[in-house]
Each structure stands twice: as C-alpha cells, then as structure tokens.
Amino acid sequence: MENVNKEFPSVENAQMTGHKDSQGRPLDSNMAQKKLRRLMASREYSQKYRMKQLHYILQLETEVKALQAEVSIISPRIKYVDRQNSLLRVENGSIKHRLSTFSSDLMIKEAQYGELKKERDILKQFYVVNQQQFPEYFNAIPTTTGNFLQFGSLLRF
C-alpha cells in the first residue's frame, strides 16, 4: 500500500492535482478510496498469481529432475531388455526353421512309411498266394535265421 500512497499520498492531494476518472470527472474522496482499494487488490492478486506461477514452475522443475533421474536409471534396463528381446527373436527364428525342417522330414518319413506299409502288404499277399500255390517250397524253409540265400534259391528270384 506504500507504493500506492507514494502515487496518491492522500485523497485530497489527488483532488488537488486534478486527477480525473475515466469519464473525465474529478475524483472525489470516496471514489479515490475505492479506486485505490481496487488498485491495491489488483496488485496483490497479481503478486499472488506470480508467486503461484513461480511455485508451479519450481514444482515442475522438481518433477522434471525426478523423471530425468528415473530415465537415467531405467534406460540401461531398457537397452538390456531390448538386446535380450533381439536374441530371443533370433533364437525363435532358428527354432521355427528347425521345426519347419523337422516337419518336412516327418512328412517324408510318413510318406516312406506309407510306401513301406504298402510294399509289406503286397509282399504278404504275394507270400499267401505263393504259399498256397507252392506249399513244398515254404515247408522246406528253415525256421532259424540261418542262411537267407537258401530261401532265395528256393523261391528262384
């Protein structure tokens, strides 16, 4: 209020100096008092607002420093996890490739197995047919796992 008093030391002085309101009328003591109060309230509000802004800025700066510290702590962890993720992706690709290879091998083996089953069934049928047509050859076959060539010579391949 001292700053205002320097500008307008008294209402009487304001009237003597010829201060006028916005409409050009001379200020009376009651109007000057109201204007001075509004002016002081406005200045006080402005000062409080500036202080509030400074406090808010300091709070934001503190938060920024805390977040920067958190980033400096977490950043190496993120890099490590990214490297681990990359390695796991490479390993996953390798495993998928191996799985694909095994799947292809399985398909080939299943096809071979199917062919061998068909061949076995054909040989069984051949054996049954030949056993009925040529029983003398099949009765002469030794039961031990002996000489396989004798069996071949009996069948006359």
Side-chain angles (χ1 to χ4, degrees):
M1 197 157 180
E2 291 178 15
N3 293 341
V4 174
N5 288 339
K6 288 179 184 176
E7 292 177 25
F8 299 108
S10 68
V11 175
E12 293 82 22
N13 190 16
Q15 288 176 343
M16 287 182 181
T17 57
H19 288 300
K20 298 180 179 180
D21 65 4
S22 62
Q23 296 174 351
R25 294 177 291 196
L27 291 174
D28 62 356
S29 68
N30 195 18
M31 291 289 276
Q33 291 276 338
K34 287 182 181 178
K35 187 170 186 178
L36 285 175
R37 273 189 247 128
R38 277 196 314 265
L39 184 63
M40 288 305 294
S42 175
R43 286 181 182 174
E44 187 178 335
Y45 175 79
S46 296
Q47 188 174 6
K48 283 183 182 179
Y49 180 74
R50 284 191 297 274
M51 291 302 289
K52 189 176 180 180
Q53 281 182 326
L54 287 175
H55 179 69
Y56 182 67
I57 289 170
L58 289 174
Q59 182 183 1
L60 288 177
E61 287 174 350
T62 304
E63 287 180 26
V64 165
K65 287 178 184 176
L67 290 173
Q68 285 174 339
E70 188 177 343
V71 165
S72 66
I73 291 170
I74 293 176
S75 181
R77 290 181 189 170
I78 291 173
K79 288 180 183 177
Y80 174 76
V81 169
D82 281 344
R83 274 188 254 123
Q84 290 297 103
N85 190 11
S86 296
L87 292 173
L88 289 173
R89 286 182 188 274
V90 169
E91 184 179 357
N92 189 25
S94 172
I95 290 172
K96 282 183 178 180
H97 178 71
R98 287 179 48 206
L99 180 63
S100 173
T101 302
F102 288 145
S103 178
S104 298
D105 288 347
L106 177 64
M107 288 175 52
I108 291 170
K109 297 292 182 189
E110 285 177 342
Q112 288 174 343
Y113 178 73
E115 290 294 321
L116 288 173
K117 276 179 74 174
K118 287 179 186 175
E119 186 176 345
R120 182 200 64 196
D121 292 342
I122 291 170
L123 287 174
K124 275 185 180 180
Q125 288 175 357
F126 179 73
Y127 177 78
V128 169
V129 168
N130 283 327
Q131 188 179 21
Q132 291 171 355
Q133 289 180 355
F134 307 105
E136 65 275 358
Y137 289 117
F138 291 98
N139 291 335
I141 298 175
T143 57
T144 62
T145 57
N147 197 348
F148 186 74
L149 292 176
Q150 288 178 353
F151 178 71
S153 66
L154 291 174
L155 294 177
R156 305 199 198 280
F157 285 107

